[in-house]
């Protein structure tokens, strides 16, 4: 019985593991981009420098989403810097990650 369940589970995994990921619509990417910018802003305002890795990952994801949307790097960096203007922790997007 247990062996049969394992085999069935293995077959399901093999069948669905090769399904290609479907493309996202532009408005889904825009929504995710804006949501990540807001999360990045909250992360910079509410936490300390110990979360540098988390901020760096989010920074990279925002840049990638901007690239997918066809935004120039300058526009994305401006949006990232706008998220940290007036930050009481003194963290800036460019100086920490470039």
């Amino acid at each position: 019985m247990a062996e049969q369940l394992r085999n069935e589970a293995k077959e399901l995994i093999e069948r669905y593991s090769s399904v290609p990921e479907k493309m996202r619509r532009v408005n889904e990417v825009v929504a995710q981009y804006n949501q990540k910018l807001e999360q990045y802003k909250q992360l910079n305002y509410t936490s300390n420098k110990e979360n540098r890795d988390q901020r760096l990952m989010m920074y990279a994801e925002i840049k990638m989403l901007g690239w997918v949307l066809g935004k120039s790097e300058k526009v994305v960096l401006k949006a990232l810097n706008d998220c940290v203007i007036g930050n009481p922790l003194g963290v800036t997007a460019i100086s920490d990650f470039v």
Side-chain angles (χ1 to χ4, degrees), residues 9-26:
K10 193 180 223 182
E11 288 174 16
L12 283 173
I13 290 170
E14 288 173 0
R15 185 181 327 153
Y16 292 108
S17 65
S18 64
V19 175
E21 232 178 274
K22 80 174 189 182
M23 298 277 294
R24 295 184 180 188
R25 293 185 210 135
V26 174

Side-chain angles (χ1 to χ4, degrees), residues 14-58:
E14 288 173 0
R15 185 181 327 153
Y16 292 108
S17 65
S18 64
V19 175
E21 232 178 274
K22 80 174 189 182
M23 298 277 294
R24 295 184 180 188
R25 293 185 210 135
V26 174
N27 42 350
E28 290 176 344
V29 177
V30 169
Q32 188 174 11
Y33 175 80
N34 292 330
Q35 182 181 27
K36 291 292 179 184
L37 279 174
E38 187 59 36
Q39 288 174 350
Y40 185 76
K41 184 176 184 176
Q42 292 301 318
L43 190 64
N44 281 307
Y45 274 84
T46 59
S47 51
N48 54 24
K49 292 209 177 217
E50 293 175 7
N51 64 356
R52 185 178 189 279
D53 293 337
Q54 187 177 4
R55 285 187 292 126
L56 184 59
M57 288 187 331
M58 195 169 292

Side-chain angles (χ1 to χ4, degrees), residues 81-94:
N81 281 327
D82 288 346
C83 289
V84 295
I85 289 177
N87 182 352
L89 301 174
V91 178
T92 59
I94 293 179

